[in-house]
Structure formats: C-alpha cells, structure tokens
Amino acid sequence: MACIFCQIIEGKIPSYKVYEDDNVYAFLDITQGTKGHTLVIPKKHIENLYALDDTIAKEVFSAVPKVANALKKAFNPIGLNLINNNDKPHQTVFHFHVHLIPRYPDDGMQLSTLNHQETLTQSDYIEIQDAIKRAFK
Ligand code: AMP
Ligand code: ZN
C-alpha cells in the first residue's frame, strides 16, 4: 500500500505545507489537535524512529525548532508539545513524523501525562540502567 505521506511529498495528494527544505517537509495535521498542529517529516520514507540514520535524524531534528519557532511567532501559544509515536499503541502512519502541538489556555487537548506507575528501589534503577547500557553494545 502506498504511503500517504510519501504521496503528500510527491504532490499526489494535497497538504497545507508550512515548511520545506531539501530533505524535510512540514504540513498541517489534517486533524488539528490545536490551532497550528503540524507534522514534520523526512522526505525519504523512513518507517519510524528506530529506522532513522544519523543524517536523516540531523536533518529532521534541525527543522523541528525552526517550525516550532514559526508556530510560536504565528500564534503565541502558552506552550508546545512535541510528540512522536512509534509502533503501538499510537502510530497510525508508518512514515516517521514529529507532531508539533501548540498549546493554548483551556484548549481541551488531552495528552497522557507522565504518571509514575512504579515505586522502584535503587537496585531496580541500576538493573534498568544496565539493561539499556548493554543494549548499546
Ligand atoms: P500518528 O498517530 O502519530 O501516526 O499520527 C498520524 C497523523 O497523521 C494523525 O494525526 C493524522 O491526523 C495525520 N494525517 C493522516 N493523513 C493525513 C493527511 N492526508 N494530511 C495531513 N495529516 C494527516
Ligand atoms: Zn512514506
């Protein structure tokens, strides 16, 4: 099945483009969570965060603050959330994208908060730390 975001980049389906450079494209999310909700994507089809190489990661993430600052200047939000979903439970389009969601007073946007679900001991933290450090090898 053809990737909907690749089709947007190719101009085969319309989008509300707000930014473009050689490697990156940004456009309004068709379902505006709040005013200015924007998606920033690499032009190259990359499924998600795990598949980003150094070059594309740099290209995409250097565009993110540019778009964020444009949103800030355009709409003067009280804040802004940066969200990226990978696989379950929330990724629905499998072309890497960063959501930029400007926030406004009483905007009704519901993002799950970081609810700290576990009470861990020091050895639990060390075990988790070690597992992650081992995974780099
Ligand atoms: P995610 O759930 O993180 O994979 O987000 C995918 C996002 O893509 C959703 O917020 C959709 O509203 C958005 N989306 C899907 N199709 C389009 C489209 N044709 N143009 C703009 N945004 C889209
Ligand atoms: Zn794609």
Side-chain angles (χ1 to χ4, degrees), residues 63-111:
V64 166
K66 291 178 189 159
V67 179
N69 277 297
L71 293 170
K72 189 167 190 273
K73 194 170 167 185
F75 302 123
N76 193 29
I78 57 169
L80 182 145
N81 294 119
L82 185 156
I83 295 181
N84 159 244
N85 297 313
N86 300 283
D87 292 338
K88 293 182 193 308
H90 290 306
Q91 187 174 12
T92 59
V93 176
F94 287 81
H95 181 131
F96 176 80
H97 52 281
V98 172
H99 294 258
L100 293 179
I101 305 177
R103 300 303 303 271
Y104 307 96
D106 304 318
D107 62 16
M109 168 57 65
Q110 293 186 354
L111 300 170

Side-chain angles (χ1 to χ4, degrees), residues 4-5 8 13-16 27-32 37 39 83-86 90-95 97 99:
I4 191 157
F5 287 177
I8 284 175
I13 62 173
S15 68
Y16 297 96
F27 57 108
L28 296 183
D29 193 304
I30 203 65
T31 310
Q32 290 279 280
H37 177 185
L39 302 175
I83 295 181
N84 159 244
N85 297 313
N86 300 283
H90 290 306
Q91 187 174 12
T92 59
V93 176
F94 287 81
H95 181 131
H97 52 281
H99 294 258

